[in-house]
Amino acid sequence: MVTTSRSAAGQRPAATSGDGRPGSGLRIRNLSKTFAARGRPETRALDKIDLTVDHGEFLAIVGPSGCGKTTLLRIIAGLTSPTQGEVLLNDEVVRAPRRDVGIMFQTPTLLPWRKVIDNCLLPLQVHGRVDQAARERALNLLAGVGLKGFEDRYPRELSGGMQQRVAICRALVSDPTMLLLDEPFGALDAMTREQMNLDLHTVCSTRQVTTVLITHSISEAVFLAHRVAVMSPRPGRIIDLVEVPLPASRDLSMMDTEEFTHTCARIRSHFQHAHGKAGTDD
């Protein structure tokens, strides 16, 4: 098991879950996943993953394509079962999707016939939990990512970046204990992606939600995360846990610092050594 200690610079204060209960975060123990198809050799996607994410921590996971990053995220979300090992969220074994986990994928998947506010409220509406307080929470989230005044627009009236902001708000509207992000900004242009990173950092810092981000971008991982987990080629293993030596409050100017550059270089070296060239973006 690879471990590192948390630095004071990037450490988050102790926090509670959305309903005020203390949370103990995410624990992944001896987790492996093998896929079997009739007439084909088994494929071992993940091998003996051990990982701890403290409550309120932002962890980014990077690795080469096909290393099992998305499979790992789906297991954490309860969408896929592990072959071996277990995932615990706030000391409870994850066996199925949970209401207190928000998920955001690469595409925003907004319903085109629903207005922005209604797309944002969809997770609560499914469970019959939409009231005035929920509506106010959704409006505050939208305002926090620069979408005040767009509540009654339809997805087709928004840019790609704006649609992703709605997706972030939808994932957070139920006050989740944990937020899971699977390459959410990969399809955006560079400038929009930087702004989305700022928006995501602001939202996660304010709400102190435990966050796990899958990304191919090393610079994105270092800018957003407290720690970066580096995965090996398939079968995916955690081969390094890199502490990010940046302050908890961040802006884009930090990408020009020596600490940022050195951290990116450490992560990139794993892929250069494995393939003779960088195996991820940036």
Side-chain angles (χ1 to χ4, degrees):
M1 177 177 178
V2 182
T3 60
T4 63
S5 59
R6 197 83 65 256
S7 68
Q11 187 176 13
R12 287 195 175 195
T16 59
S17 60
D19 60 6
R21 294 177 290 106
S24 59
L26 175 70
R27 306 288 183 268
I28 301 173
R29 298 175 177 171
N30 196 34
L31 188 143
S32 297
K33 178 65 178 180
T34 299
F35 291 99
R38 183 175 298 178
R40 297 181 182 179
E42 290 186 343
T43 299
R44 195 164 182 84
L46 299 170
D47 186 51
K48 298 179 181 178
I49 301 288
D50 285 290
L51 194 60
T52 296
V53 186
D54 293 338
H55 189 82
E57 182 183 2
F58 195 124
L59 178 82
I61 301 176
V62 300
S65 295
C67 73
K69 299 186 298 297
T70 294
T71 298
L72 177 58
L73 200 76
R74 289 179 60 83
I75 292 173
I76 296 171
L79 298 172
T80 300
S81 298
T83 305
Q84 173 184 313
E86 62 183 1
V87 174
L88 296 95
L89 179 60
N90 298 331
D91 299 321
E92 297 178 358
V93 177
V94 175
R95 294 189 175 91
R98 296 168 50 124
R99 293 185 184 183
D100 60 344
V101 174
I103 307 175
M104 183 178 172
F105 299 102
Q106 183 169 352
T107 56
T109 61
L110 303 179
L111 299 180
W113 60 88
R114 294 177 68 100
K115 295 180 180 180
V116 164
I117 184 65
D118 297 320
N119 267 289
C120 187
L121 288 168
L122 183 59
L124 296 179
Q125 187 177 46
V126 168
H127 298 292
R129 297 164 55 199
V130 177
D131 53 19
Q132 187 57 36
R135 189 174 182 85
E136 288 298 322
R137 186 160 63 250
L139 290 172
N140 288 336
L141 281 167
L142 291 168
V145 296
L147 289 179
K148 185 176 182 179
F150 289 86
E151 300 89 347
D152 293 325
R153 302 290 184 91
Y154 289 94
R156 64 177 179 273
E157 301 177 85
L158 307 180
S159 68
M162 294 168 76
Q163 290 184 29
Q164 288 293 61
R165 290 186 179 98
V166 178
I168 291 174
C169 295
R170 181 181 59 192
L172 290 170
V173 72
S174 56
D175 267 340
T177 298
M178 184 168 61
L179 179 63
L180 303 177
L181 307 166
D182 188 4
E183 195 69 31
F185 310 137
L188 302 177
D189 64 83
M191 292 183 65
T192 303
R193 187 166 183 161
E194 284 189 347
Q195 183 58 53
M196 292 301 302
N197 285 338
L198 285 171
D199 291 341
L200 180 61
H201 171 69
T202 299
V203 169
C204 290
S205 297
T206 301
R207 303 179 73 82
Q208 299 178 350
V209 60
T210 306
T211 305
V212 178
L213 167 71
I214 299 296
T215 179
H216 282 94
S217 171
I218 294 172
S219 61
E220 181 173 78
V222 173
F223 177 76
L224 287 169
H226 295 95
R227 290 185 300 162
V228 180
V230 182
M231 291 186 66
S232 69
R234 188 175 64 243
R237 303 180 180 93
I238 303 298
I239 57 175
D240 199 3
L241 273 172
V242 180
E243 194 78 24
V244 177
L246 298 177
S249 180
R250 302 176 188 179
D251 57 58
L252 293 178
S253 68
M254 292 180 183
M255 291 186 174
D256 298 322
T257 64
E258 184 176 348
E259 293 84 359
F260 186 91
T261 301
H262 284 176
T263 306
C264 289
R266 172 177 167 179
I267 296 168
R268 190 175 294 111
S269 69
H270 289 286
F271 308 111
Q272 291 171 332
H273 292 161
H275 304 291
K277 61 181 180 178
T280 61
D281 296 340
D282 294 353

